[in-house]
Amino acid sequence: MIRKLLRKVFSHRAAPFSASQEPARIPVSLHGIRREQVSAGAVKVCAALQNRGYQAYIVGGAVRDLLAGHVPKDHDVATSATPEEVRALFRRSRIIGRRFKIVHVLNGAEVIEVSTFRASHEAETDRHGRVLADNIYGSQAEDAIRRDFTVNALYYDPLTETIVDYHHGVADLQQKTLRVIGEPRARYREDPVRMLRAVRLAAKLGLIIDPAARAPIRDMASLLENVPSARLFDETLKLLMSGNAVRAIGQLREEGLHHGLLPLLDIVLDQPIAERFIWLALENTDSRVRADKPVSASFLFAALLWPEVSRKWKVRQAAGEPLQQALFDAMDEVLAVQAQRLAITRRVAADIKELWALQPRFDKRAGRAPFRLIEHPRFRAAWDFLLLRAQAAGIPEELPDWWNRFAHTGQAEREELLRAVATGSGGKAPARKRRRRRKPADAAAPESAAAP
Ligand code: ATP
Ligand code: MG
């Protein structure tokens, strides 16, 4: 019913936009978003600003997600007040950023990001047309024009429960279309990351990228090479952690955006065996995100890069390098390649290495080593990783099973499990009698060196 009505009201296409254009003001009776659905903190911030005579709206992703029936992950506020004016109004707030000043206002544990309406027309650009600085404040209409997609240029006033829509974003969302505001080529040139955002948002919300916005992507993909690696890392992480990574990566490939963008994807998606492992890792991450379970960037990147590490590890061992040394060298080699494009932070890199370095320790099922391993603070994550390897058929399922039992049982049964390994019964049926012990598994050939 509401959809029908909206379709009727907004079925016409937008005329070429201009900042002087009057926006549509859509009442709650048409869009259905109640103030109770948005964060109490964001409502408070808007109310306080409006009380002082400023304009203030919830904007961007939160409005879009609510309209699409998703729960927003955070709330951004756009206002006519300058950062200094916002800062002065809220005791628990701070100004962040130098080039793009925004204010973080704290409400309990929640952080509300408040930004001042910005205009983009005088933005300084580099020789590729990329925007370097656009800290020039403007009107709400100007602020709407500089946003990337029509569905992202929606302003929700929680006090009147009205949506202000300059670019027919509500209608586009209803029609499941992701449309760029303005001329797509020019907008991608200004900021190539918008191409990635298009794919990510389309995958997240099940939208079709408007043909005019989709067509130039293949040609312009190489512009991503000029984007600073820290920004690329953030955007890639968002894509991978969206809960729709499988769909998003599939679409990146279709658009020709995976080449050069992510060396790790270049490598792995063109190798069938590695590919299976990667898709499993992505599916696994998607289902964790959807089940609201924590996912860590380090786990995900460790998984995505593992097939390559594993391959190089084997090559080095075959060339005569000792097992541990071969693994550490392979790890460094793979991370170094990634570092050229993706700014994997030092902390994340350290976590990734730890996960990898723990893997051969699962092969040591004798003596004190297993007791030490289960006490390791990262045992659980390393075990999850081992399970993923087993699911990808790189190693026998028996190994993660054994460790799961070993970690969650008492001393007596642990001894039994160790004996079972020593006698070669793999822990399936604990041996009754203590037999002559074989050489400890430490010295045995690494089981996990065989495949990813
Ligand atoms: P998410 O749900 O992942 O947070 P989002 O759209 O909210 O998606 P943010 O990075 O939080 O993404 O950006 C907030 C808003 O800022 C967007 O909705 C959009 O209006 C605007 N925006 C973000 N990035 C760009 C960009 N590269 N170019 C133009 N506008 C942008
Ligand atoms: Mg957001």
Side-chain angles (χ1 to χ4, degrees):
M1 178 59 197
I2 288 177
R3 281 182 180 221
K4 238 187 192 163
L5 214 65
L6 278 170
R7 225 167 278 148
K8 231 167 138 185
V9 178
F10 299 111
S11 55
H12 65 286
R13 266 290 351 118
F17 65 93
S18 83
S20 58
Q21 202 169 295
E22 267 306 300
R25 294 185 193 276
I26 304 169
V28 64
S29 58
L30 288 183
H31 63 68
I33 299 173
R34 310 305 312 231
R35 120 174 26 98
E36 293 74 35
Q37 289 171 262
V38 299
S39 94
V43 177
K44 261 198 228 169
V45 169
C46 288
L49 284 162
Q50 290 188 15
N51 265 336
R52 294 293 173 109
Y54 302 111
Q55 289 173 280
Y57 298 86
I58 295 166
V59 68
V63 187
R64 176 199 70 212
D65 289 354
L66 279 168
L67 278 173
H70 292 248
V71 178
K73 38 175 218 323
D74 47 35
H75 289 76
D76 299 326
V77 166
T79 179
S80 58
T82 63
E84 290 73 18
E85 288 166 337
V86 177
R87 169 72 192 90
L89 207 51
F90 301 97
R91 201 170 46 82
R92 295 183 64 212
S93 68
R94 58 163 191 265
I95 295 180
I96 60 160
R98 261 186 303 162
R99 242 177 44 203
F100 305 114
K101 273 191 198 166
I102 54 172
V103 187
H104 277 176
V105 179
L106 289 136
N107 181 60
E110 192 191 355
V111 181
I112 296 112
E113 217 172 273
V114 183
S115 46
T116 304
F117 292 148
R118 279 212 296 263
S120 63
H121 51 273
E122 284 171 50
E124 184 191 330
T125 58
D126 69 5
R127 64 194 166 84
H128 307 284
R130 198 156 59 82
V131 173
L132 294 177
D134 66 344
N135 212 4
I136 306 142
Y137 304 130
S139 65
Q140 186 184 18
E142 287 170 316
D143 187 80
I145 277 188
R146 69 154 189 101
R147 290 180 185 270
D148 45 8
F149 307 109
T150 63
V151 298
N152 278 347
L154 298 170
Y155 299 77
Y156 177 72
D157 179 349
L159 297 142
T160 62
E161 299 182 317
T162 305
I163 289 180
V164 181
D165 181 1
Y166 285 86
H167 300 286
H168 304 273
V170 173
D172 281 342
L173 205 53
Q174 295 289 336
Q175 287 153 20
K176 298 241 163 253
T177 302
L178 190 79
R179 202 184 305 276
V180 169
I181 296 174
E183 207 278 300
R185 283 180 184 274
R187 301 305 310 277
Y188 295 155
R189 226 172 288 123
E190 278 171 14
D191 181 7
V193 168
R194 288 175 185 147
M195 294 185 277
L196 272 182
R197 289 177 53 85
V199 170
R200 172 166 71 82
L201 291 175
K204 171 175 168 174
L205 301 168
L207 307 180
I208 304 288
I209 304 175
D210 168 51
R214 188 178 168 197
I217 291 182
R218 192 166 284 278
D219 283 352
M220 300 182 80
S222 64
L223 289 182
L224 282 164
E225 286 163 24
N226 307 318
V227 175
S229 56
R231 177 125 191 266
L232 214 51
F233 180 69
D234 285 350
E235 202 49 47
T236 306
L237 207 56
K238 272 194 172 187
L239 190 140
L240 293 172
M241 307 270 231
S242 64
N244 299 284
V246 167
R247 196 152 69 177
I249 300 282
Q251 197 157 357
L252 277 187
R253 260 177 124 179
E254 268 176 41
E255 306 302 340
L257 273 179
H258 73 292
H259 276 288
L261 160 64
L262 301 172
L264 65 97
L265 293 179
D266 263 8
I267 298 165
V268 295
L269 291 179
D270 298 329
Q271 293 170 16
I273 301 174
E275 208 186 327
R276 181 175 152 70
F277 187 84
I278 300 301
W279 287 121
L280 256 169
L282 292 175
E283 273 166 24
N284 187 312
T285 309
D286 281 353
S287 52
R288 284 184 73 93
V289 172
R290 288 175 189 188
D292 254 341
K293 289 189 198 162
V295 285
S296 70
S298 49
F299 189 91
L300 186 58
F301 279 107
L304 294 177
L305 297 173
W306 177 253
E308 196 51 16
V309 170
S310 171
R311 192 179 65 79
K312 289 190 190 294
W313 184 19
K314 269 178 269 169
V315 170
R316 287 177 175 277
Q317 283 186 84
E321 251 192 79
L323 181 127
Q324 276 292 342
Q325 190 58 44
L327 177 60
F328 280 82
D329 287 347
M331 288 176 0
D332 287 340
E333 207 184 316
V334 169
L335 282 174
V337 172
Q338 297 308 313
Q340 291 163 12
R341 287 305 291 129
L342 284 185
I344 296 181
T345 55
R346 216 175 291 211
R347 174 92 207 98
V348 171
D351 285 351
I352 292 174
K353 282 190 179 182
E354 192 166 40
L355 266 178
W356 287 339
L358 285 168
Q359 294 307 304
R361 290 179 58 180
F362 285 109
D363 293 330
K364 298 178 178 170
R365 293 189 285 170
R368 299 307 301 159
F371 294 91
R372 280 199 300 273
L373 184 53
I374 59 172
E375 291 307 322
H376 194 284
R378 300 269 289 160
F379 171 77
R380 179 61 214 216
W383 184 84
D384 280 342
F385 197 85
L386 181 74
L387 186 65
L388 187 65
R389 292 170 59 210
Q391 286 165 347
I395 49 168
E397 290 264 8
E398 181 264 325
L399 197 61
D401 284 353
W402 187 94
W403 280 98
N404 193 30
R405 279 197 279 160
F406 188 83
H408 299 107
T409 189
Q411 186 62 23
E413 197 176 335
R414 282 181 182 160
E415 298 294 342
E416 280 298 311
L417 282 162
L418 286 172
R419 263 197 296 281
V421 171
T423 57
S425 59
K428 278 176 198 124
R432 262 174 224 294
K433 264 197 304 182
R434 199 192 167 102
R435 292 195 217 132
R436 203 155 47 93
R437 286 189 70 138
R438 280 192 336 179
K439 247 169 108 185
D442 296 52
E447 293 162 57
S448 49

